[in-house]
Amino acid sequence: MSDAREVLLEIRDLRIDGYTGEEWQPIIKGVDLTLHKGEVLGLIGESGAGKSTIGAASMGFARDGTRISGGSIVFDGLDLTTAGREEKRKLRGKRIAYVAQSAAASFNPAHKIIDQHTEAPVMYGLQSRAEAEADAMALYEQLRLPNPDEIGFRYPHQVSGGQLQRAMTAMAMACRPDLIIFDEPTTALDVTTQIEVLAAIREIVERFDTAAIYITHDLAVVAQMADTIKVLLKGEEVDEAPTREMLTDPKQDYTKSLWAVRSFKRQQKPLAGPDEVPVVSVRGVSAAYGKVKVLEDVSFDIHRGRTVAVVGESGSGKSTTARCITGLLPPTRGEILFEGQALPPRYTDRTKDQLRHAQMIYQMADTALNPKIRISEIIGRPAQFYSGLSGAALRKRVEELLELIELDPAEFYDRLPPELSGGQKQRIGIARALAAEPAFIICDEVTSALDQLVAEGILKLLDRLQKELDLSYMFITHDLATVRAIADEVVVMQNGRVVEHGPKDEMFRPPHHPYTDLLLSSVPEMDPDWLTHLLDARGVDNVGSAETAL
Amino acid sequence: MAKLLRLVATRLGLGLLTLLVVSVLIFFAVELLPGDLAEAVLGQAATEETVEAMRRQLGLDRPAPVRYLEWLGGALRGDFGTSLISGAPVGEAIATRFANTLFLAAYAAVIAVPLAILLGVLVALLRNSIFDRVANVATLTSISSPEFFVGYILILFLSIRTGWFPSNASLSGDMSLTDQLYRAFLSALTLVLVVTAHMMRMTRAAIINLLASPYIEMARLKGVPPWRRIVRHALPNAWAPIINVVALNLAYLITGVVLVEVVFVYPGIGQLLVDAVAKRDFPIVQACCLIFAATFILLNLAADVGAILTNPRLRHPK
C-alpha cells in the first residue's frame, strides 16, 4: 500500500557488533529495512533478537558496547553511518524521535515534564518557549491526558506510568518528526493501561502521518499498530510481510512457532468435592503496610493438585497475599489454614514442616539466585535443610531434581547462575522450590520476564510436575493468556479485594464482574482490528479515562 | 514543606544529642590522662601545698560528674572557663583565633568549591581525553602530597624565588581586608590545592555515574548536545554526593588545617589547640574540641538538608 510513497529510511546489510568483554561479536548480521513516509513497521522477536539495537541504529546511534560495523542507514538521503556527529545530533529529536520502554526512567527526575517537552523545539529554534508550551498542552489533550493544561507542570514522579508513557509520546511529537522509534512502549504497563497508550499512539501517528518503527515482543500488540511486520531472530531477519498476511498465513517455521505459543492450554481439572480439605485456605485475610491497608477480607481455597490463578493489575494485592501465606507479612485479621490447620501468622513461629510445604518461585530468576553460588548448592541447601540429606545421598537428590526440571545434571551441577539463560535460571528456581518436597508452591509472575517460547516451556514443565507430584499452585500473574493456559480456578483482585472468584471456564464466560470484563477485554488479540473494534465498543472518549473511571 | 521542617528539626535534635555525647567524651578523656592535673600543670613548681591549692582552685576536689555538669552549663552560656596559663577567659582567647580560622576557611572555600565543581563538570564532559588524564594525575598528586609539603613548595616558588607573596601569614586586626587577603593568599592556596582535588573527583564520578541512565540516553536521542546533557540533565541529579563531599571538605578546612597554620605561622584555632595541648591548658583543649565537633555536626546536617532540597521527590511530594 505504501509502494507509491517516498522512501524515508533505507537500511541495507546493517551489521552491528557487541563487545562481550573480550572481543567484538556480531549481534546484527546483515539486516535490510525499508520504511516509507507515514508507514508503521513492527519489529518483533525474542529478547536478544536485536530489535532495540536496530531501533537505535535507525537514529544513527550505537549504545555503549556496540558499534555499527557495516552496511548503510540512509535517512532521507543522508547516510547515518558516515554522517558527522553534529549532523546526526541535529536529526535527533527534530526529524527522528524516540519513545523508550520505561517512561519513568527516561524522564529526568529533576525537571518538570513540560520543561523536558519544550527542550528540543526551543533548542532547534522551531518554536518560542511559550509556543512550545501551548503546543505541548494541545498534544497532551490529543493524547487524552487528564488536566492537559496542568499536568506538564508536574514532576515525572507525580504522574502515573500510563500517563507518563503518553507524555513521552507527546514529547516525541514536539518537533513533528518524520519518524518515531517506539521501543517497547507498553511492555511495563498493565493491560488496562496499555490500551489507552496504544490507542493514543496509534491515533497521533495517524493524525500527523508520522512513520514509525514499533518494537515489541508482543505479537498481539504489533498486530494493532503496524502496517508491516518484520520478524527477527538472533540478529537476522526471518520474515517480513504486511500485517494481515503475516497473521493469517505465516510462511516461516519460526514465525509459525511464535504464533503457536498462545495455543498451549491444558485440560481443566474437575472441581474438588465439597468434603475435600483444601491444601491452603485463605480465610478473611486483611493486611497492611504500616497504616496503608493493602488487603481487605481476602478468602479463597486451593485444593490438592489444582492451580489457582490470582490476577489483577499492579497494586491489587496479589503479591501481598502471597507474603501473608508464606508468613512474611502477618495479617492484621483472618488466618491461613494448611490442610485444615491454622498456621502461625509469622514464619518465624512456624515449624520446619509447616515451612517446607509453602515454597515460592519468583518473577526475576536473575535476582532470586545468588550469582556466586553453584547450582549444586542452590538446590542442595533446601534439600539438606528440610530432608537432612548429606554426602552422596544429597548429590543424588540434586541430580534427580535437575533431571526433573529437564536439565542435564552432568552439565549443570557445578555451574553458576550467570552462565545460564533466563529460562534455565527459572528452572533452577523451580528445582529449588521442589527440593523442599512441598505440597504447595506460589508462582509469582514466573513467566512474565521470559520470552513467549521460553515461557511456554516453563508452563509445560510446571504442568507436568503438578501431574507427577500432585502439587498445588497459586499462580500470580497479570497475563490472562497464562491464566487460560494453566488455571483451574481464577481469583480476580482489585484494590486489595477479591472481586470475582470461580472455575476458569466460568470466568472466561460472560456475565463478568465489570472489572473482570475490563481486564479480559483489555488483553490484546491477534486480530488486527481488535483495538479498533474495542475502542468503538467502549466509545473512544471512555478509553482515556478508563484508568480513573475504575 | 512542613515535612521538610520536621526532618530538619529531627536532624538538628539528633545533632545536639551527638554533641552531648561528644562533650562527655571530651571531658572525661581529659580526666583519663595519667597523673594529677594539678601536678601536671604546676610541673617543676609542684610542692604539696601548691598542688593542694591548685586542686582547690581548679575544683578538682569535687567529683567529676559535678564538674562536668558545671562545665557543660558554662559552655551552654558561652563560658568555657579560664585558661590555666594566662588566666584569661577561654572564650576570648578562642574568639579571635576562631574568627581567623573561619576567615581562612571561607577564603579557601570561595575559591575551591566553584573551581572544583567547574573542573569536575569539565573533566566529566571531556572524560577519557588528554585533559581528563592530566587533571586526574594532577589531582591524585595533590591528594597524595602532605599539605605541609605543598605549602613549602608554594613558599619556595611563589615567595622565596619570586617574592610575589609573603610566606608569613600572621594577621592583625588593624589590617585592611585586601591586605589580609594578600597575606593569607599562600595558606589559602595550599588549602585550595588540597581540597579541590577531592571535590572535583567526586563531582566527576557522580556525573559519570549517571551517564548510563535512561534519561541521559533520552536526552541524547532528543539531540541535546553533550555539554547540555551534563550540565542540565546529569548535574541536577548528582548534587547529593557532591554536597556531601563539599561538606566534609569544609569541615576539614575548619578543623584539619593545623599543619598549614604552622607552616605559614597563621594565627588560627589549630595552632591554639596544639599550643594548649603542649602547655596542658585543658579548658582551651576542651573548648576547641567541642567547637570542632559542633562544626562537623552542623556541616553534616547542612549536607543532609542540601541533599534533600536537591531531590525533587522529596521537594515535591505526590
Coordinates of all heavy atoms in Angstrom, one line a residue, chain A residues 59 61 63-64 89 92-94 96 98-100 105-111 115-117 119-120 123-124 155 157-158 168 171, chain B residues 211-226 228-229 232-234 236-237 310 312-318:
Chain A
M59 N 18.5 5.7 14.3 CA 18.8 7.1 14.6 C 20.3 7.4 14.5 O 20.8 8.4 14.9 CB 18.4 7.4 16.0 CG 17.0 7.0 16.3 SD 16.4 7.5 18.0 CE 16.2 9.2 17.8
F61 N 22.5 5.7 16.0 CA 23.0 5.7 17.4 C 23.4 4.2 17.8 O 22.6 3.3 17.5 CB 21.9 6.2 18.4 CG 22.3 6.1 19.8 CD1 23.3 6.8 20.3 CD2 21.6 5.3 20.7 CE1 23.7 6.8 21.7 CE2 21.9 5.2 22.0 CZ 22.9 6.0 22.5
R63 N 24.6 2.1 21.1 CA 24.7 2.2 22.5 C 26.2 1.8 22.9 O 26.9 1.2 22.2 CB 23.8 1.2 23.2 CG 22.3 1.7 23.1 CD 21.4 1.0 24.1 NE 20.1 1.7 24.1 CZ 19.1 1.4 23.3 NH1 19.3 0.4 22.4 NH2 18.0 2.0 23.3
D64 N 26.5 2.2 24.2 CA 27.9 1.8 24.6 C 28.1 0.3 24.6 O 27.2 -0.4 24.9 CB 28.0 2.3 26.1 CG 28.3 3.8 26.2 OD1 28.5 4.4 25.1 OD2 28.1 4.3 27.3
R89 N 23.3 14.5 15.3 CA 22.7 15.0 16.5 C 21.5 15.9 16.1 O 20.4 15.9 16.7 CB 23.7 15.8 17.3 CG 23.1 16.4 18.6 CD 24.0 17.2 19.5 NE 24.4 18.5 18.9 CZ 23.6 19.5 18.8 NH1 22.4 19.4 19.2 NH2 24.1 20.6 18.3
R92 N 18.2 14.2 15.5 CA 17.6 13.5 16.7 C 16.7 14.5 17.4 O 17.0 15.6 17.6 CB 18.6 13.0 17.6 CG 19.4 11.8 17.0 CD 20.4 11.3 18.0 NE 21.3 10.4 17.3 CZ 22.6 10.2 17.6 NH1 23.1 10.9 18.6 NH2 23.3 9.4 16.9
G93 N 15.5 14.0 17.7 CA 14.5 14.9 18.4 C 13.8 15.7 17.4 O 12.6 16.0 17.6
K94 N 14.4 16.1 16.3 CA 13.8 17.0 15.4 C 13.1 16.2 14.2 O 11.9 16.4 14.0 CB 14.9 17.9 14.8 CG 14.4 19.1 13.9 CD 15.5 20.0 13.7 CE 15.4 20.9 12.5 NZ 16.7 21.5 12.3
I96 N 13.9 12.6 13.8 CA 13.7 11.3 14.3 C 13.6 11.3 15.8 O 14.4 11.9 16.4 CB 14.8 10.3 13.9 CG1 15.3 10.5 12.5 CG2 14.5 8.9 14.2 CD1 16.5 9.6 12.1
Y98 N 12.4 9.4 19.7 CA 12.5 8.1 20.3 C 11.5 8.0 21.5 O 11.4 9.0 22.3 CB 13.9 7.9 20.8 CG 14.3 6.6 21.5 CD1 14.4 5.5 20.7 CD2 14.4 6.6 22.8 CE1 14.7 4.3 21.4 CE2 14.8 5.4 23.5 CZ 14.9 4.3 22.8 OH 15.2 3.1 23.4
V99 N 10.8 6.9 21.6 CA 10.0 6.7 22.8 C 10.5 5.4 23.5 O 10.5 4.3 22.9 CB 8.5 6.5 22.4 CG1 7.7 6.2 23.6 CG2 8.0 7.8 21.8
A100 N 10.9 5.5 24.7 CA 11.6 4.4 25.4 C 10.6 3.5 26.1 O 9.5 3.9 26.3 CB 12.6 5.0 26.4
A105 N 11.8 5.9 33.9 CA 13.2 6.0 34.0 C 13.8 7.0 32.9 O 14.9 7.5 33.1 CB 13.9 4.6 33.8
S106 N 13.0 7.2 31.9 CA 13.5 8.0 30.8 C 13.2 9.5 30.9 O 13.7 10.3 30.1 CB 13.0 7.5 29.4 OG 13.5 6.2 29.3
F107 N 12.3 9.9 31.8 CA 12.1 11.3 32.1 C 13.1 11.6 33.2 O 13.3 10.9 34.1 CB 10.7 11.6 32.6 CG 9.7 11.9 31.5 CD1 8.7 11.1 31.1 CD2 9.9 13.1 30.8 CE1 7.8 11.4 30.1 CE2 9.0 13.5 29.8 CZ 8.0 12.6 29.4
N108 N 13.7 12.8 33.0 CA 14.7 13.3 34.0 C 13.9 13.6 35.3 O 13.1 14.5 35.3 CB 15.4 14.5 33.5 CG 16.7 14.8 34.3 OD1 16.6 14.7 35.5 ND2 17.7 15.2 33.7
P109 N 14.3 13.0 36.4 CA 13.5 13.3 37.7 C 13.7 14.7 38.2 O 12.9 15.1 39.0 CB 14.1 12.3 38.7 CG 15.4 11.9 38.1 CD 15.3 12.0 36.6
A110 N 14.7 15.4 37.7 CA 14.9 16.8 38.2 C 14.2 17.9 37.5 O 14.2 19.0 38.0 CB 16.4 17.0 38.1
H111 N 13.5 17.6 36.4 CA 12.8 18.6 35.7 C 11.4 18.3 35.5 O 11.0 17.2 35.3 CB 13.5 18.9 34.3 CG 14.9 19.3 34.4 ND1 15.3 20.5 35.0 CD2 16.1 18.6 34.1 CE1 16.7 20.5 34.9 NE2 17.1 19.4 34.4
D115 N 9.0 21.1 30.8 CA 10.4 21.6 30.5 C 11.2 20.6 29.6 O 12.0 21.1 28.8 CB 11.2 21.8 31.8 CG 10.6 23.0 32.6 OD1 9.8 23.7 32.1 OD2 10.9 23.0 33.8
Q116 N 10.9 19.3 29.9 CA 11.6 18.4 29.0 C 11.0 18.3 27.6 O 11.7 18.1 26.6 CB 11.6 17.0 29.7 CG 12.2 17.1 31.1 CD 12.3 15.7 31.8 OE1 12.8 14.8 31.2 NE2 11.9 15.6 33.0
H117 N 9.7 18.5 27.6 CA 9.0 18.5 26.3 C 9.4 19.6 25.4 O 9.7 19.4 24.2 CB 7.5 18.7 26.6 CG 6.6 18.6 25.4 ND1 5.8 17.5 25.1 CD2 6.5 19.4 24.3 CE1 5.2 17.7 24.0 NE2 5.6 18.9 23.5
E119 N 12.2 21.3 25.5 CA 13.6 21.4 25.3 C 14.0 21.4 23.8 O 14.7 22.3 23.3 CB 14.3 20.4 26.1 CG 15.9 20.5 26.0 CD 16.6 19.6 27.0 OE1 15.9 18.6 27.4 OE2 17.7 19.8 27.3
A120 N 13.6 20.3 23.1 CA 14.0 20.1 21.7 C 13.5 21.2 20.8 O 14.3 21.9 20.1 CB 13.7 18.7 21.2
M123 N 15.3 24.5 21.5 CA 16.7 24.3 21.2 C 17.0 24.4 19.7 O 17.9 25.1 19.2 CB 17.2 23.0 21.7 CG 18.7 22.7 21.6 SD 19.0 21.1 22.4 CE 18.4 20.0 21.2
Y124 N 16.0 23.8 18.9 CA 16.2 23.8 17.5 C 15.6 25.1 16.9 O 15.6 25.3 15.6 CB 15.5 22.6 16.8 CG 16.3 21.3 17.1 CD1 15.7 20.3 17.7 CD2 17.5 21.2 16.6 CE1 16.4 19.1 17.9 CE2 18.2 20.0 16.7 CZ 17.7 19.0 17.4 OH 18.3 17.8 17.6
Y155 N 6.2 17.1 38.2 CA 7.5 16.3 38.0 C 7.1 14.9 37.7 O 6.0 14.4 38.0 CB 8.3 16.3 39.3 CG 9.0 17.7 39.5 CD1 8.3 18.7 40.1 CD2 10.3 17.8 39.1 CE1 9.0 19.9 40.3 CE2 10.9 19.0 39.2 CZ 10.3 20.1 39.8 OH 10.9 21.3 40.0
H157 N 7.7 12.0 38.8 CA 7.3 11.0 39.8 C 5.9 11.3 40.3 O 5.3 10.5 41.1 CB 8.3 11.0 41.0 CG 8.3 12.3 41.8 ND1 9.1 13.3 41.5 CD2 7.6 12.6 42.9 CE1 8.9 14.3 42.3 NE2 7.9 13.9 43.2
Q158 N 5.3 12.5 39.9 CA 4.0 12.8 40.4 C 2.9 12.3 39.5 O 1.7 12.6 39.6 CB 3.9 14.3 40.6 CG 4.8 14.8 41.7 CD 4.9 16.3 41.7 OE1 5.0 17.0 40.7 NE2 4.9 16.9 42.9
M168 N 5.4 11.0 27.1 CA 6.7 10.8 26.3 C 6.4 10.7 24.9 O 7.1 11.2 24.0 CB 7.4 9.5 26.8 CG 8.8 9.5 26.2 SD 9.6 8.0 26.4 CE 10.0 8.1 28.1
M171 N 6.1 14.2 23.8 CA 7.4 14.8 23.7 C 8.1 14.4 22.4 O 8.7 15.2 21.8 CB 8.3 14.3 24.9 CG 9.6 15.0 24.9 SD 10.4 14.8 26.6 CE 11.1 13.2 26.5
Chain B
L211 N 25.6 8.9 33.7 CA 25.6 9.0 32.2 C 25.0 7.8 31.6 O 24.5 7.8 30.4 CB 27.0 9.3 31.6 CG 27.5 10.7 32.0 CD1 28.8 10.9 31.3 CD2 26.5 11.7 31.6
A212 N 24.9 6.6 32.3 CA 24.3 5.4 31.7 C 22.8 5.4 32.0 O 22.1 4.5 31.5 CB 25.0 4.2 32.3
S213 N 22.2 6.4 32.7 CA 20.8 6.4 33.0 C 20.0 6.5 31.7 O 20.4 7.2 30.8 CB 20.4 7.5 33.9 OG 21.4 7.9 34.7
P214 N 18.8 5.9 31.7 CA 17.9 6.0 30.6 C 17.6 7.5 30.2 O 17.4 7.8 29.1 CB 16.7 5.3 31.0 CG 17.1 4.3 32.0 CD 18.2 4.9 32.7
Y215 N 17.5 8.4 31.2 CA 17.1 9.7 30.9 C 18.2 10.5 30.2 O 18.0 11.5 29.5 CB 16.5 10.5 32.1 CG 17.4 10.6 33.3 CD1 18.4 11.6 33.4 CD2 17.1 9.8 34.4 CE1 19.1 11.7 34.5 CE2 17.9 9.9 35.5 CZ 18.9 10.8 35.6 OH 19.7 11.0 36.7
I216 N 19.4 10.1 30.5 CA 20.6 10.7 29.7 C 20.6 10.2 28.3 O 20.8 11.0 27.3 CB 21.9 10.4 30.4 CG1 21.9 10.9 31.8 CG2 23.0 11.0 29.6 CD1 21.9 12.5 32.0
E217 N 20.3 8.9 28.1 CA 20.2 8.4 26.7 C 19.0 9.1 26.0 O 19.1 9.5 24.8 CB 19.9 6.9 26.8 CG 19.9 6.3 25.4 CD 19.7 4.8 25.4 OE1 20.6 4.1 25.9 OE2 18.7 4.3 24.9
M218 N 17.9 9.3 26.7 CA 16.8 10.0 26.1 C 17.2 11.4 25.7 O 16.9 11.8 24.6 CB 15.7 10.1 27.2 CG 14.4 10.6 26.7 SD 13.6 9.4 25.6 CE 12.8 10.4 24.4
A219 N 17.9 12.1 26.5 CA 18.4 13.5 26.2 C 19.2 13.4 24.9 O 19.1 14.2 24.0 CB 19.1 14.1 27.4
R220 N 20.1 12.4 24.9 CA 21.0 12.2 23.7 C 20.2 12.0 22.5 O 20.4 12.6 21.4 CB 21.9 11.0 24.0 CG 23.0 11.0 23.1 CD 24.0 10.0 23.5 NE 25.1 9.8 22.5 CZ 26.0 9.0 22.6 NH1 26.1 8.2 23.7 NH2 26.9 8.9 21.7
L221 N 19.1 11.1 22.6 CA 18.3 10.8 21.4 C 17.3 12.0 21.1 O 16.7 11.9 20.1 CB 17.6 9.5 21.6 CG 18.5 8.3 21.7 CD1 17.7 7.0 22.0 CD2 19.3 8.1 20.4
K222 N 17.3 13.0 22.0 CA 16.5 14.2 21.6 C 17.4 15.2 21.0 O 16.9 16.3 20.6 CB 15.9 14.8 22.9 CG 14.5 14.5 23.1 CD 13.9 14.9 24.5 CE 14.5 16.1 25.2 NZ 13.8 16.3 26.5
G223 N 18.7 14.9 20.8 CA 19.6 15.8 20.1 C 20.2 16.8 21.0 O 20.7 17.8 20.6
V224 N 20.1 16.6 22.3 CA 20.7 17.5 23.3 C 22.2 17.4 23.2 O 22.8 16.3 23.3 CB 20.2 17.2 24.7 CG1 20.9 18.1 25.7 CG2 18.7 17.3 24.8
P225 N 23.0 18.5 23.0 CA 24.4 18.4 22.8 C 25.1 18.0 24.2 O 24.5 18.2 25.2 CB 24.8 19.9 22.4 CG 23.7 20.7 22.8 CD 22.5 19.9 22.8
P226 N 26.3 17.5 24.1 CA 27.0 16.9 25.2 C 27.1 17.8 26.5 O 26.8 17.4 27.6 CB 28.4 16.6 24.7 CG 28.2 16.4 23.3 CD 27.1 17.3 22.9
R228 N 25.3 20.2 27.4 CA 24.0 20.5 28.0 C 23.4 19.2 28.7 O 22.7 19.3 29.7 CB 23.0 20.9 26.9 CG 21.7 21.5 27.3 CD 20.9 22.0 26.2 NE 19.5 22.0 26.6 CZ 18.8 23.1 27.0 NH1 19.5 24.2 27.0 NH2 17.6 23.0 27.3
R229 N 23.8 18.0 28.1 CA 23.4 16.8 28.8 C 24.0 16.7 30.2 O 23.4 16.3 31.1 CB 23.9 15.6 28.0 CG 23.2 15.3 26.7 CD 23.3 13.9 26.3 NE 24.6 13.5 26.0 CZ 25.2 13.5 24.7 NH1 24.4 14.0 23.7 NH2 26.4 13.1 24.5
R232 N 22.7 20.2 32.3 CA 21.3 20.3 32.6 C 20.6 19.0 33.0 O 19.7 19.0 33.8 CB 20.5 20.9 31.4 CG 19.1 21.3 31.7 CD 18.5 21.9 30.4 NE 17.1 21.6 30.4 CZ 16.2 22.1 31.3 NH1 16.6 23.1 32.1 NH2 14.9 21.8 31.2
H233 N 21.1 17.9 32.5 CA 20.5 16.6 32.7 C 21.1 15.8 33.8 O 20.5 15.1 34.6 CB 20.3 15.8 31.4 CG 19.3 16.4 30.5 ND1 17.9 16.1 30.6 CD2 19.4 17.3 29.5 CE1 17.3 16.8 29.7 NE2 18.1 17.5 29.0
A234 N 22.5 15.8 33.8 CA 23.1 15.0 34.8 C 23.4 15.7 36.2 O 23.0 15.2 37.2 CB 24.5 14.4 34.3
P236 N 22.0 18.2 37.9 CA 20.9 18.4 38.9 C 20.6 17.1 39.7 O 20.1 17.2 40.8 CB 19.7 18.8 38.1 CG 20.2 19.3 36.8 CD 21.5 18.5 36.6
N237 N 20.9 15.9 39.1 CA 20.7 14.7 39.8 C 21.9 14.2 40.6 O 21.9 13.2 41.3 CB 20.3 13.6 38.9 CG 18.9 13.9 38.3 OD1 17.9 13.9 38.9 ND2 18.9 14.2 37.0
T310 N 17.8 19.2 47.0 CA 18.0 19.0 45.6 C 17.3 17.7 45.1 O 17.5 17.4 43.9 CB 19.5 18.8 45.3 OG1 20.0 17.8 46.1 CG2 20.3 20.1 45.7
P312 N 14.0 16.2 43.9 CA 12.7 16.6 43.5 C 11.6 15.7 44.2 O 10.5 16.2 44.4 CB 12.6 16.5 42.0 CG 13.8 15.7 41.6 CD 14.8 15.8 42.7
R313 N 11.9 14.5 44.4 CA 10.9 13.6 45.0 C 10.6 14.0 46.4 O 9.5 13.8 46.9 CB 11.4 12.1 45.0 CG 11.3 11.5 43.7 CD 12.1 10.2 43.7 NE 12.3 9.7 42.3 CZ 11.4 9.0 41.7 NH1 10.3 8.7 42.2 NH2 11.6 8.7 40.4
L314 N 11.6 14.5 47.1 CA 11.3 15.0 48.5 C 10.8 16.4 48.5 O 10.0 16.8 49.4 CB 12.6 14.9 49.3 CG 13.1 13.4 49.5 CD1 14.5 13.4 50.1 CD2 12.1 12.6 50.3
R315 N 11.2 17.2 47.5 CA 10.8 18.6 47.5 C 9.4 18.7 47.0 O 8.6 19.5 47.5 CB 11.7 19.4 46.6 CG 12.1 20.7 47.1 CD 13.2 21.3 46.2 NE 13.7 20.5 45.2 CZ 13.9 21.0 43.9 NH1 13.5 22.2 43.6 NH2 14.4 20.1 43.0
H316 N 9.0 17.9 46.1 CA 7.6 17.9 45.5 C 6.9 16.6 45.7 O 6.9 15.8 44.8 CB 7.6 18.2 44.0 CG 8.5 19.4 43.7 ND1 8.0 20.7 43.8 CD2 9.7 19.5 43.3 CE1 8.9 21.6 43.4 NE2 10.0 20.9 43.1
P317 N 6.5 16.3 46.9 CA 5.8 15.0 47.2 C 4.5 14.9 46.3 O 4.0 15.9 45.8 CB 5.5 15.0 48.7 CG 5.5 16.5 49.1 CD 6.4 17.2 48.1
K318 N 4.1 13.7 46.1 CA 2.9 13.4 45.3 C 1.7 14.1 45.7 O 1.5 14.3 46.9 CB 2.6 11.9 45.3 CG 3.6 11.1 44.4 CD 3.1 9.8 44.1 CE 4.1 9.1 43.2 NZ 3.7 7.8 42.7

